[in-house]
Amino acid sequence: MKKYLNIVADSFTGYFNYLVEEINNPSWTNYFYWLLGLSLLVWILEILTPWRKEQKIFRKDFWLDSFYILFNFFLFSLIGYNALSNVGVALFNDFLGLFGIKNIIAIEVQELSMVSQLLIMFIIADFIQWNVHRQLHKQPWLWEFHKVHHSIKEMGFAAQFRFHFMETIVYKSVQYIPLAMIGFGIEQFFVVHMFAVFIGHLNHANLGWNYGIFGYIFNNPKMHIWHHSKELPSDRPHGMNFGLSLSIWDYIFGTAYIPEEGKDIELGFEGDEEFPEGFKNQTFFPFRKENKIIQRKNLKNENKAI
Ligand SMILES: [Zn+2]
Ligand SMILES: [Zn+2]
């Protein structure tokens, strides 16, 4: 027990020191400055070549989403995730140790070149995320958390980071085991991570881009806007275009859907008028009792209908 508590304490102080050091020491592998730089770059692109010309530079919820960036990228790690994940990894390894298993590496990728390693990691991680994202839409209890991201009414780059912190826990836990099995540590992919942040920023940006033929490989603003459509086609009640960085999974598995230019479609979800506006209320929303009661009632009614 003491061991795990020490890990928690070390994670807190370790991460705090790390963050202060990040800000004080700009370098080429610095998360803080890369995030800041990529955000400014995509924001400038939005300002120079906007898709919806009438959309304000400081669009609806610009500051809320900027806070989400700070929270989800830094503060959440600072106040908890770092500690939790370190304990999780230690528990997991100790659990394996009970059976005399030292590691779960099934495929050795270390012998491959760095570029191939990163590419494999990027593709596998993205495919896992595509699957997780589909579940966020399909499972009612996960959807309650994912609603935060779909409460976006006006798109801009920062909207990428408007999501409930539970999503970080769900995504990372599901990713950890498969990536560990092929010998990747979750921390070692700076390049992959920043590349995904860049594409994610672009997906949500006010840019009328689809990258031409490359749009069948990479997710893009003209595709992702349909993912945020309030109205869903009757044959796709759980949505479409679930890709994060890559769009190829949606094309392979038949979940791609771009019926027309989605520049001015209404964004959101059924019933979003009732959804809270601020950070605090959005964060507590999925845990609130009355929501659970409403959910249960809906479920009962659905069952009755069947
Ligand atoms: Zn979604
Ligand atoms: Zn989105």
Side-chain angles (χ1 to χ4, degrees), residues 133-134 136-137 143 146-147 149-150 167 171 224 227-228 238 240-242:
H133 189 190
R134 280 181 58 200
L136 292 178
H137 281 262
W143 170 238
H146 194 48
K147 270 181 184 169
H149 184 61
H150 283 268
E167 285 199 25
Y171 274 113
H224 193 64
H227 179 68
H228 284 267
H238 298 298
M240 54 270 179
N241 303 353
F242 299 103

Side-chain angles (χ1 to χ4, degrees), residues 51 209-210 215-216 218-227 233 236 240-241 247 251 255-263:
W51 193 16
W209 295 357
N210 61 8
Y216 292 100
F218 291 103
N219 198 2
N220 52 77
K222 280 188 156 176
M223 183 172 192
H224 193 64
I225 200 152
W226 284 100
H227 179 68
R236 298 172 191 270
M240 54 270 179
N241 303 353
S247 60
Y251 286 106
T255 46
Y257 180 81
I258 309 173
E260 54 180 51
E261 187 172 78
K263 187 174 146 219

Side-chain angles (χ1 to χ4, degrees), residues 3-14:
K3 176 182 157 193
Y4 299 126
L5 285 176
N6 280 341
I7 293 175
V8 173
D10 289 350
S11 302
F12 270 86
T13 50

Side-chain angles (χ1 to χ4, degrees), residues 160-201:
Q160 173 185 198
F161 277 93
R162 187 193 305 183
F163 56 81
H164 197 279
F165 69 81
M166 275 297 287
E167 285 199 25
T168 308
I169 297 177
V170 173
Y171 274 113
K172 296 232 167 140
S173 322
V174 177
Q175 271 185 96
Y176 178 75
I177 294 174
L179 290 180
M181 281 178 79
I182 37 178
F184 288 122
I186 205 134
E187 307 297 340
Q188 84 191 65
F189 61 124
F190 181 85
V191 186
V192 172
H193 191 36
M194 289 325 290
F195 183 62
V197 167
F198 184 42
I199 299 194
H201 266 16

Side-chain angles (χ1 to χ4, degrees), residues 34 53 76 113 125 129 139 159 177 183 239 250 264 268 283 290 299 305:
W34 268 99
K53 304 234 169 352
F76 183 57
S113 72
Q129 287 177 323
Q139 308 299 337
I177 294 174
D250 286 307
D264 294 310
T283 301
E290 59 266 41
L299 220 68

